[in-house]
Amino acid sequence: MIPRQQASPRGRRVLLGISGGIAAYKSAELVRLLVRAGAQVQVVMTDAATRFVAPLTFQALSGRPVRLGLFEAADEAAMGHIDLARWADAILIAPASADFLARLRAGLADDLLSTLCLAADAPVIVAPAMNQAMWRAAATQDNLRVLRERGVRVWGPAEGVQACGESGPGRMLEPEEILRALNGALDVAGDARQAPLAGVDVLLTAGPTWEAIDPVRFIGNRSSGKMGFALARAARAAGARVLLVSGPVTLETPPGVERISVESAREMHRSVMRHAPGCDIFIGAAAVADFRPAQVASEKLKKGDSGSMELALVRNPDVLASVAALPEPPFTVGFAAETQDLRANALEKLRRKGVDIILANQVGGEEGGFDRDHNAVILLTADEERSFALQEKGRLARAIIAALAERYRARRTT
Ligand code: PMT
């Protein structure tokens, strides 16, 4: 269980987005309940929402002018939309219409509310409300699947008689139910936004290893270190003390992160095994060479007359498996880089290496993995699977660290 430190939204900043739907009338009660519970509520309405309820209603209930447009000079001068996105502890869209969900999934930023969702670090929660056929439509369900994969939380809808007279799923949850759910979400989000890894020691590996053949040649791989460095930065931002053991890369060490530079798998293994005992979380993002040349020539190898050459290889130590096999192992997280059968191969690594979590990523394609700015992973445990859609590695790293922090804390408290 995640410890609950705060059981009400008192003092928390809720950005309530209202999109166009008849359920917008229920949002007035939601604002009233939130304000009564001590939350600071900033209402943002889409153009369509203003056709259902006048902004003045929400202004009166929230005590703040409602934000309506992206290009309102006076509003932007008071608090620009990027600052507004950062201001929020949670972004709750209630009601979320089918149209708004589609726009959110597409990543549009052509009005204020969609722009805020795109720019926010805070959790985004949607409470859908629409006609039951629109809810069941394949396009809506597909949009929801993608949004869930990206970490958007979907609350509801409820079933029942709808404003249009039809019956089925599509009614927005009642304001009291949304408030109850928000209490829990704000606890987690609040903790997460403060410092979910405060006081936690995180040890990470990143980058490739180089296995020397002779003084000038080596066996290496295409890892740039971007994924591991992004994770180190995100762990540091989450309050952890971070030690990064990195293979040869050209990246700057993230501020506040301690770094040890190594070259070969054996150096990485030595360095990690020196620091792993006593650390709380270990993340193996490095692409460690499984084999190294059996002999390292002391002089540059000559081509000779033969048209071929044989290189004998021997097995390198497995850094990740060694950490997981410690008598008191840290919470151990590995990656699985696969070109085929992603899940099956990753699950096999989870079991064989004895780790708590495997982050499976598809490599070798055009879109993510080695030496790309974007990546997608599937988080796998013995009994859980969660997908993180293709996104920029910095953003992905923050989402991964938030998920790891939740699971690490859950394990500590059980
Ligand atoms: O660095 P980037 O360009 O940003 O690319 C990111 C990445 C694709 C390298 C990264 O996301 C990733 O997948 N890292 C792990 C690469 C890898 O070696 O995967 P693997 O499936 O071969 O190994 C499984 C796990 O065992 C990994 O956690 C690896 O660090 C670890 N391992 C492997 C071999 C070994 N001798 N020791 C290890 O610790």
Side-chain angles (χ1 to χ4, degrees):
M1 284 289 294
I2 294 161
R4 294 276 159 92
Q5 290 170 0
Q6 187 166 347
S8 96
R10 178 161 301 283
R12 295 298 174 88
R13 296 177 294 212
V14 179
L15 196 151
L16 178 64
I18 303 177
S19 64
I22 183 61
Y25 80 90
K26 288 190 190 176
S27 308
E29 174 64 1
L30 182 56
V31 174
R32 199 185 66 77
L33 291 176
L34 281 166
V35 170
R36 204 176 61 180
Q40 299 176 51
V41 183
Q42 174 63 62
V43 174
V44 177
M45 297 177 81
T46 64
D47 190 37
T50 62
R51 315 287 172 104
F52 290 91
V53 184
L56 208 52
T57 306
F58 295 107
Q59 176 171 324
L61 290 167
S62 68
R64 288 164 182 261
V66 171
R67 296 287 297 259
L68 297 168
L70 200 46
F71 304 108
E72 307 285 339
D75 288 349
E76 280 292 307
M79 193 195 290
H81 59 273
I82 298 294
D83 291 336
L84 185 55
R86 301 284 139 75
W87 169 89
D89 289 320
I91 297 189
L92 167 64
I93 296 140
S97 65
D99 174 72
F100 189 78
L101 294 175
R103 287 150 43 71
L104 194 57
R105 182 240 169 108
L108 297 188
D110 58 355
D111 71 359
L112 181 59
L113 190 54
S114 54
T115 304
L116 292 170
C117 292
L118 208 54
D121 282 334
V124 176
I125 303 155
V126 294
M130 65 197 74
N131 165 271
Q132 55 85 20
M134 292 169 75
W135 170 256
R136 290 192 169 107
T140 303
Q141 291 304 315
D142 194 46
N143 291 336
L144 287 158
R145 179 186 56 74
V146 172
L147 290 173
R148 283 193 182 102
E149 278 179 16
R150 289 186 198 148
V152 173
R153 297 170 209 193
V154 182
W155 293 350
E159 290 206 27
V161 179
Q162 304 196 294
C164 56
E166 294 182 11
S167 196
R171 284 169 61 94
M172 188 172 99
L173 292 184
E174 294 307 317
E176 293 78 7
E177 290 174 277
I178 294 178
L179 182 68
R180 266 199 303 280
L182 195 64
N183 288 341
L186 281 171
D187 286 346
V188 176
D191 292 346
R193 283 166 68 78
Q194 284 150 25
L197 292 180
V200 174
D201 284 303
V202 175
L203 176 62
L204 283 128
T205 64
T209 63
W210 287 358
E211 310 300 324
I213 298 171
D214 66 19
V216 295
R217 302 181 181 95
F218 60 85
I219 300 173
N221 61 65
R222 297 180 195 279
S223 169
S224 62
K226 286 178 188 169
M227 191 69 248
F229 275 57
L231 286 164
R233 184 186 294 273
R236 179 72 197 121
R241 285 183 293 267
V242 182
L243 177 59
L244 175 62
V245 179
S246 174
V249 297
T250 55
L251 302 174
E252 297 267 322
T253 310
V257 168
E258 200 185 327
R259 170 172 172 183
I260 297 174
S261 296
V262 297
E263 192 168 289
S264 67
R266 281 191 298 175
E267 282 172 19
M268 185 172 278
H269 185 260
R270 262 196 303 278
S271 186
V272 165
M273 294 316 283
R274 193 173 311 132
H275 293 95
C279 89
D280 301 302
I281 300 178
F282 173 75
I283 306 174
V288 188
D290 289 316
F291 291 92
R292 67 178 184 277
Q295 305 284 341
V296 181
S298 56
E299 303 297 335
K300 186 180 168 201
L301 289 177
K302 294 292 173 205
K303 283 187 279 296
D305 293 334
S306 158
S308 65
M309 179 184 180
E310 282 185 12
L311 198 58
L313 300 176
V314 291
R315 199 69 194 241
N316 267 329
D318 191 307
V319 182
L320 181 64
S322 305
V323 172
L326 283 169
E328 288 183 36
F331 188 70
T332 306
V333 181
F335 270 81
E338 308 293 341
T339 54
Q340 55 185 348
D341 299 332
L342 182 60
R343 268 185 195 74
N345 285 329
L347 282 170
E348 190 275 325
K349 279 180 185 156
L350 178 86
R351 280 189 287 272
R352 178 162 48 83
K353 301 202 182 203
V355 299
D356 296 294
I357 291 180
I358 279 279
L359 300 165
N361 48 192
Q362 187 84 34
V363 295
E366 277 306 300
E367 292 207 302
F370 284 91
D371 203 15
R372 301 271 181 267
D373 290 333
H374 294 75
N375 203 12
V377 303
I378 306 174
L379 182 156
L380 293 163
T381 71
D383 49 22
E384 188 197 352
E385 172 170 333
R386 177 172 165 197
S387 296
F388 295 79
L390 187 72
Q391 54 197 300
E392 193 273 318
K393 280 180 179 169
R395 195 177 177 106
L396 175 64
R398 290 195 292 276
I400 290 174
I401 289 294
L404 297 184
E406 269 184 39
R407 283 154 188 78
Y408 165 73
R409 295 194 308 172
R411 198 175 78 169
R412 258 196 348 183
T413 51
T414 49

